[in-house]
């Protein structure tokens, strides 16, 4: 039976004449076919983003088996193949490098929050230390905006959907003179949020959106020279995000917080908010020096400014509030010279990066009845940071024979970071708004300061062997290394600097097309030796339990990925992606709570350790945000109407296995496996000028958390006997629907 079905499918595919569309990527700093690039890449085109109603990196992650996204403190947290970071402060960096139009962004939120007029998003899986440099141990994400066009064109799109969501976006592009063209894109998004706040003392809305974004670009082009300038700005505000108590160790529950079983309802007594602005200017110069040599210069300025007031305990009881403020300004430049000769291709380059950062954290703890339970107190941390990085790099592809190519590359990175902290301990009777109190907060009451700087350098090589027996087959074996910068615990009562982390990777991959280009099958198998992991661990200073980042672990990561795309008929397309991941600690003994005279009998690990941290051995435990299995499957069916136009039907299912959020791998600090189902129906006119679509996301209304944290500031010491913190989860949206109309004009 299986043989006959397989034969029928093959016969059906062979009967078709059309092929899958070519996907062009710039993962190797040059434009080339996805199938010709010896790197594991997921590429999502702008048309697919619009068709699937994907407007941020979180939505991409839901459908991408190798990418996991979460968020805390207003900071995006990205993981590729189990490698990422849950550290949010200005002294630390992400483990996944993000680039917007070729410019590295020191803060991931600078371009991944809400997409605007995007041409494509490339997700490079695995360490990219040679061409992308620092902070690419997990991989890299490239977001490329749509460029000005030589012909007049544009579109306007309007969407209405769940939570009174109104999303209007549009763009216009075309020539100004024979050599000069321009593009302008705008977006206005507003909704009431997917969580209902039942406490009138809180903000009017929570988990909502209010976004305004604009981008303008100019391109001057001759036969040999192309110069592009891109300027953009985005502003966002909302009532911040909700957080949901998971266990029964919270002080709020002890003091009578209202019971709540619906993760999309909250009792938020805090006038919480989140406001940010980001933008920048990018200049790109491409010069064809000769027929075989090209010079590229990319310079960029970007900034980020964010203020954040959050109800830390997620209830109507006044327990703690968190206030955060981040500012960042960065300048960067990359110069590349590349060429192609009879023996192969080559590239050499130099990179420079400079960043000035400011961050402040205010933790406000209220008083209670009886007052002996907890004394009101606030901590204010103000940190200023600097970062300077330079690099030189090169890579060559050498033809060994008609079917064999050897590639080799090397990058040298040199960087220096500085950190200056002012810590204030505020006594009772201070304003509850923390950083945003109307009364100026003194620098010291009392206070401590510290100033420290560190320098690091690293060599990150890459060696690859490619075998191409035919135009539609590429097999590759690659060894590469990744390097993530060291940093500081700048918003903590303790601040041991931490060193870089490194990944050594071996990857075997295949890029293949079958049946005349109607079936694309790509696969990769990888093995990582992951050392000096930057991991958040518990630390105690007097009566205060906090988390700090340290180089405390070694891990092995191995897995297999498979991507399939098939044009089954002229009307039916099917795609599937699967990832199997084994990402575990090899060696990691870490503090997880404290040992006291009262709890020593509850855990043998506390024997002889009264007054010291409780240690756990995490060897064999899974890394954070590293599901054992993640997969996605989708199908699109189109049919023509007799009167003209096309109807399309789309369905997709995305499954993610259990993920853990702490090295201890406790059940309460994990999200169980879940499956999301999406559906869409669309109409497009015969001319392509008018498109109408209706969609449903999370059709089965699955409840899940995209992140779970533990706060000792919100826990009741009588219940949280080891002082590991009260578990609270960040809910993801439930079922969502929308209707969208798009009108395109010009060519």
């Amino acid at each position: 039976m299986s043989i006959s079905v397989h034969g029928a499918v093959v016969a059906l595919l062979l009967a078709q004449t059309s092929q899958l569309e070519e996907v062009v990527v710039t993962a190797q700093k040059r434009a080339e076919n996805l199938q010709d690039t010896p790197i594991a890449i997921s590429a999502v085109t702008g048309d697919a983003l619009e068709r699937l109603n994907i407007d941020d990196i979180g939505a991409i992650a839901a459908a991408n088996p190798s990418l996991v996204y979460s968020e805390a403190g207003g900071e995006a947290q990205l993981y590729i193949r189990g490698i990422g970071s849950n550290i949010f402060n200005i002294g630390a960096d992400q483990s996944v490098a993000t680039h917007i139009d070729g410019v590295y962004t020191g803060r991931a939120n600078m371009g991944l929050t809400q997409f605007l007029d995007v041409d494509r998003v490339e997700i490079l899986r695995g360490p990219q230390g040679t061409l992308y440099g620092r902070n690419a141990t997990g991989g890299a994400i490239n977001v490329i905006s749509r460029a000005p066009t030589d012909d007049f064109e544009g579109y306007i799109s309007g969407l209405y959907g769940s939570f009174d969501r109104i999303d209007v976006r549009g763009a216009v592009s075309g020539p100004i003179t024979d050599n000069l063209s321009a593009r302008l894109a705008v977006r206005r998004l507003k909704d009431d949020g997917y969580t209902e706040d039942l406490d009138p003392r809180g903000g009017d809305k929570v988990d909502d959106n209010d976004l305004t974004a604009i981008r303008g670009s100019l391109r001057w082009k001759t036969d040999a020279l192309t110069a592009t300038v891109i300027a953009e700005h985005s502003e966002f505000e909302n009532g911040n995000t909700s957080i949901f108590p998971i266990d029964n160790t919270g002080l709020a529950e002890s003091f009578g917080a209202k019971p709540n079983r619906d993760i999309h309802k909250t009792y938020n007594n805090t006038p919480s908010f989140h406001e940010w602005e980001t933008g920048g200017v990018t200049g790109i110069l491409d010069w064809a020096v000769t027929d075989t040599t090209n010079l590229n210069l990319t310079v960029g300025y970007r900034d980020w400014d964010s203020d954040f007031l959050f109800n830390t305990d997620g209830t109507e009881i006044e327990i703690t509030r968190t206030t955060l403020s981040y500012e960042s300004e960065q300048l960067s430049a990359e110069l590349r010279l590349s060429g192609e000769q009879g023996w192969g291709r080559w590239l050499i380059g130099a990179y420079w990066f400079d960043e000035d950062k400011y961050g402040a954290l205010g933790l406000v703890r209220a008083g209670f009845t009886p007052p002996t339970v907890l004394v009101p107190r606030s901590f204010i941390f103000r940190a200023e940071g600097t970062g300077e990085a330079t690099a030189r790099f090169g890579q060559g592809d050498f033809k060994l024979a008609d079917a064999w190519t050897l590639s080799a590359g090397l990058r040298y990175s040199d960087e220096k970071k500085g950190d200056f902290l002012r810590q204030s301990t505020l006594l009772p009777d201070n304003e509850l708004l923390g950083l945003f109190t109307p009364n100026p907060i003194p620098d010291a009451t009392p206070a401590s300061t510290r100033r420290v700087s560190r320098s690091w350098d690293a060599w990150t090589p890459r060696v690859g062997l490619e075998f191409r027996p035919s135009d539609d087959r590429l097999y590759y074996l690659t060894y590469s290394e990744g390097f993530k910068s060291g940093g500081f615990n700048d918003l903590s009562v303790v601040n041991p600097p931490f060193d870089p982390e490194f990944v050594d990777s071996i990857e075997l991959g295949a890029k293949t097309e079958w049946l005349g280009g109607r079936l694309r099958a790509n696969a990769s198998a990888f093995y990582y030796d992951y050392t000096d992991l930057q991991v958040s661990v518990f630390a105690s200073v007097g009566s205060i339990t906090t988390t700090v980042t340290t180089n405390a672990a070694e891990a092995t990561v191995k897995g297999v990925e498979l991507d399939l795309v098939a044009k089954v008929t002229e009307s039916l397309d099917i795609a599937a992606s699967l990832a199997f991941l084994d990402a575990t600690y090899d060696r990691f003994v870490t503090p997880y709570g404290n040992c006291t005279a009262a709890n020593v009998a509850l855990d043998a690990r506390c024997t002889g350790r009264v007054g010291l941290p409780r240690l756990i051995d995490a060897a064999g435990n899974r890394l954070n945000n590293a599901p054992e299995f993640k997969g996605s499957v989708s199908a699109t069916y189109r049919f023509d109407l007799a009167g003209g136009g096309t109807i399309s039907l789309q369905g997709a299912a995305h499954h993610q296995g259990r993920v853990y959020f702490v090295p201890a791998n406790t059940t309460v600090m994990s999200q169980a496996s879940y499956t999301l189902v999406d559906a869409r129906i669309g109409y497009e006119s015969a001319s392509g000028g008018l498109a109408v679509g209706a969609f449903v996301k999370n059709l089965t209304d699955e409840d899940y958390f995209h992140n779970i944290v533990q706060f000792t500031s919100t826990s009741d010491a009588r219940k949280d006997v080891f002082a590991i913190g009260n578990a609270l989860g960040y809910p993801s949206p439930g079922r969502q629907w929308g209707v969208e109309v798009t009108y395109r004009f010009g060519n």
Side-chain angles (χ1 to χ4, degrees):
M1 178 65 181
S2 61
I3 296 176
S4 63
V5 171
H6 178 266
V9 172
V10 171
L12 188 60
L13 287 168
L14 286 171
Q16 309 306 310
T17 57
S18 62
Q19 298 178 332
L20 294 167
E21 292 184 4
E22 178 181 348
V23 178
V24 176
V25 296
T26 53
Q28 296 195 108
K29 307 289 186 175
R30 58 178 178 250
E32 57 188 344
N33 189 334
L34 172 71
Q35 296 302 102
D36 295 332
T37 308
I39 301 174
I41 305 173
S42 302
V44 187
T45 66
D47 291 341
L49 293 174
E50 294 174 359
R51 188 171 61 249
L52 300 174
N53 300 101
I54 293 174
D55 64 355
D56 60 21
I57 195 66
I60 286 182
N64 188 289
S66 301
L67 177 65
V68 176
Y69 172 88
S70 60
E71 185 177 327
E75 283 282 300
Q77 300 176 357
L78 303 167
Y79 292 76
I80 296 179
R81 293 175 171 173
I83 296 182
S85 176
N86 61 357
I87 309 165
F88 59 97
N89 61 58
I90 64 170
D93 296 308
Q94 293 282 335
S95 300
V96 175
T98 58
H99 294 76
I100 312 299
D101 290 318
V103 174
Y104 169 77
T105 62
R107 307 295 107 190
N109 287 32
M110 286 180 172
L112 299 180
T113 46
Q114 302 287 345
F115 292 151
L116 170 65
D117 198 39
V118 170
D119 181 71
R120 68 185 181 279
V121 178
E122 302 172 1
I123 302 169
L124 284 62
R125 312 193 294 266
Q128 308 294 325
T130 302
L131 293 182
Y132 289 87
R134 61 198 289 266
N135 305 333
T137 46
I141 296 177
N142 298 332
V143 180
I144 298 96
S145 60
R146 288 185 171 126
T149 55
D150 295 329
D151 298 315
F152 177 73
E153 67 172 40
Y155 66 89
I156 183 169
S157 176
L159 180 148
Y160 179 79
S162 300
F163 327 122
D164 281 334
R165 184 182 182 97
I166 298 175
D167 190 357
V168 179
R169 66 185 84 187
V172 60
S173 178
I176 299 176
T177 67
D178 290 343
N179 299 106
L180 183 66
S181 57
R183 188 177 189 94
L184 178 67
V186 296
R187 185 180 183 193
R188 184 74 176 96
L189 165 65
K190 192 176 180 66
D191 65 47
D192 292 339
Y194 58 81
T195 300
E196 181 182 2
D197 186 2
L198 302 177
D199 192 317
R201 294 173 296 171
D204 294 337
K205 300 171 184 175
V206 67
D207 290 317
D208 56 315
N209 291 283
D210 191 342
L211 171 76
T212 303
I214 185 170
R215 179 191 299 118
S217 52
L218 290 171
R219 185 182 67 184
W220 187 72
K221 186 176 182 180
T222 66
D223 291 340
L225 186 67
T226 301
T228 304
V229 176
I230 305 169
E232 57 188 312
H233 182 78
S234 299
E235 295 183 6
F236 176 89
E237 63 179 353
N238 73 352
N240 215 308
T241 186
S242 62
I243 195 165
F244 190 85
I246 295 176
D247 59 19
N248 64 348
T249 65
L251 268 171
E253 286 73 25
S254 297
F255 288 132
K258 296 177 181 178
N260 181 16
R261 296 183 178 276
D262 187 343
I263 69 170
H264 295 127
K265 292 183 180 179
T266 187
Y267 293 94
N268 173 34
N269 69 309
T270 304
S272 54
F273 64 86
H274 186 198
E275 300 172 351
W276 57 254
E277 294 184 26
T278 188
V281 179
T282 301
I284 305 171
L285 181 69
D286 267 306
W287 178 26
V289 181
T290 69
D291 291 341
T292 60
T293 307
N294 189 78
L295 179 71
N296 177 277
L297 174 64
T298 300
V299 297
Y301 165 82
R302 298 196 73 88
D303 60 22
W304 168 264
D305 188 350
S306 173
D307 290 328
F308 181 99
L309 169 59
F310 179 58
N311 181 357
T312 319
D313 56 275
T315 72
E316 78 282 6
I317 305 294
E318 190 63 64
I319 304 294
T320 61
R321 298 182 178 192
T322 302
T323 50
L324 292 167
S325 183
Y326 288 97
E327 296 176 16
S328 172
E329 286 188 281
Q330 66 169 69
L331 287 167
S332 65
E334 183 173 270
L335 180 66
R336 301 191 305 271
L337 185 67
S338 60
E340 186 170 355
Q341 271 70 41
W343 52 265
R345 295 182 293 193
W346 57 272
L347 179 150
I348 57 174
Y351 178 75
W352 170 80
F353 175 84
D354 183 84
E355 184 179 21
D356 290 317
K357 301 166 285 185
Y358 167 81
L361 169 65
L363 297 174
V364 182
R365 192 172 73 182
F368 302 97
T369 303
T372 55
V373 175
L374 201 60
V375 176
R377 183 173 59 185
S378 298
F379 295 94
I380 302 294
F381 302 92
R382 291 186 179 89
E384 299 173 14
T386 59
E388 300 175 10
T390 59
R392 281 81 73 191
F393 58 93
Q395 181 168 300
D397 300 332
F398 307 92
K399 296 179 180 177
L400 302 179
D402 290 342
W404 293 90
T405 300
L406 174 69
S407 65
L410 184 65
R411 186 184 190 104
Y412 173 71
S413 300
D414 185 14
E415 67 175 79
K416 179 179 180 179
K417 285 184 177 181
D419 182 68
F420 173 63
L421 174 79
R422 291 172 292 168
Q423 174 191 342
S424 302
T425 301
L426 302 182
L427 299 177
D429 300 325
N430 283 280
E431 295 285 344
L432 281 177
L433 292 181
L435 292 175
F436 309 112
T437 175
N439 301 317
I441 298 175
D443 288 340
T445 8
S448 61
T449 63
R450 59 176 179 244
R451 189 185 299 272
V452 65
S453 64
R454 289 289 188 275
S455 298
W456 302 278
D457 61 358
W459 295 90
T460 46
R462 180 184 185 276
V463 180
L465 185 63
E466 303 170 32
F467 174 56
R468 189 185 296 276
S470 61
D471 290 341
D472 54 8
R473 304 282 192 279
L474 170 63
Y475 305 96
Y476 61 91
L477 176 65
T478 304
Y479 171 81
S480 61
E481 295 183 9
F483 150 68
K484 179 186 174 183
S485 171
F488 308 98
N489 290 282
D490 51 16
L491 298 180
S492 174
V493 293
V494 291
N495 183 32
F498 48 89
D499 290 323
E501 65 179 21
F502 297 89
V503 174
D504 296 343
S505 167
I506 298 176
E507 182 162 334
L508 177 65
K511 301 282 186 78
T512 66
E513 291 186 345
W514 306 81
L515 306 175
R518 292 178 294 280
L519 174 64
R520 183 179 300 146
N522 297 339
S524 58
F526 53 89
Y527 177 90
Y528 294 171
D529 182 17
Y530 192 12
T531 57
D532 294 327
L533 276 70
Q534 297 172 6
V535 182
S536 294
V537 301
F538 280 77
S540 298
V541 180
S543 62
I544 301 171
T545 300
T546 184
T547 58
V548 297
T549 301
T550 185
N551 302 94
E554 297 177 359
T556 297
V557 179
K558 51 185 179 289
V560 177
E561 299 165 336
L562 178 63
D563 295 297
L564 298 172
V565 182
K567 180 167 280 298
V568 181
T569 70
E570 292 288 342
S571 303
L572 178 62
D573 294 339
I574 295 177
S577 297
L578 306 173
F580 299 90
L581 184 65
D582 182 8
T584 56
Y585 295 103
D586 295 333
R587 180 181 58 82
F588 187 23
V589 176
T590 178
Y592 193 54
N594 295 321
C595 295
T596 66
N599 65 29
V600 66
L602 301 177
D603 192 332
R605 288 172 292 194
C606 282
T607 301
R609 294 190 58 82
V610 174
L612 298 174
R614 183 180 66 147
L615 299 179
I616 65 166
D617 186 356
N621 288 358
R622 298 191 66 83
L623 302 185
N624 290 1
N625 274 310
E628 186 174 3
F629 171 76
K630 194 170 184 229
S632 180
V633 61
S634 64
T636 302
Y637 182 76
R638 306 175 190 86
F639 60 90
D640 296 330
L641 299 176
T646 303
I647 295 290
S648 61
L649 303 173
Q650 296 173 315
H654 318 294
H655 178 82
Q656 176 177 294
R658 181 181 293 274
V659 296
Y660 295 95
F661 299 102
V662 292
N665 281 194
T666 58
T667 301
V668 72
M669 288 297 294
S670 72
Q671 170 58 56
S673 62
Y674 60 86
T675 301
L676 304 179
V677 178
D678 302 335
R680 186 180 189 275
I681 181 171
Y683 163 80
E684 185 173 333
S685 64
S687 65
L690 177 65
V692 181
F695 66 88
V696 179
K697 294 183 179 181
N698 192 0
L699 182 65
T700 58
D701 201 20
E702 188 84 11
D703 286 342
Y704 65 101
F705 298 107
H706 65 79
N707 197 6
I708 300 175
V709 294
Q710 283 180 304
F711 294 140
T712 55
S713 61
T714 65
S715 66
D716 187 337
R718 297 164 298 185
K719 299 177 180 178
D720 182 20
V721 293
F722 292 105
I724 61 175
N726 173 209
L728 303 110
Y730 291 89
S732 292
R735 184 186 298 115
Q736 305 166 71
W737 62 268
V739 178
E740 185 174 26
V741 179
T742 301
Y743 175 69
R744 302 185 183 277
F745 50 87
N747 290 338

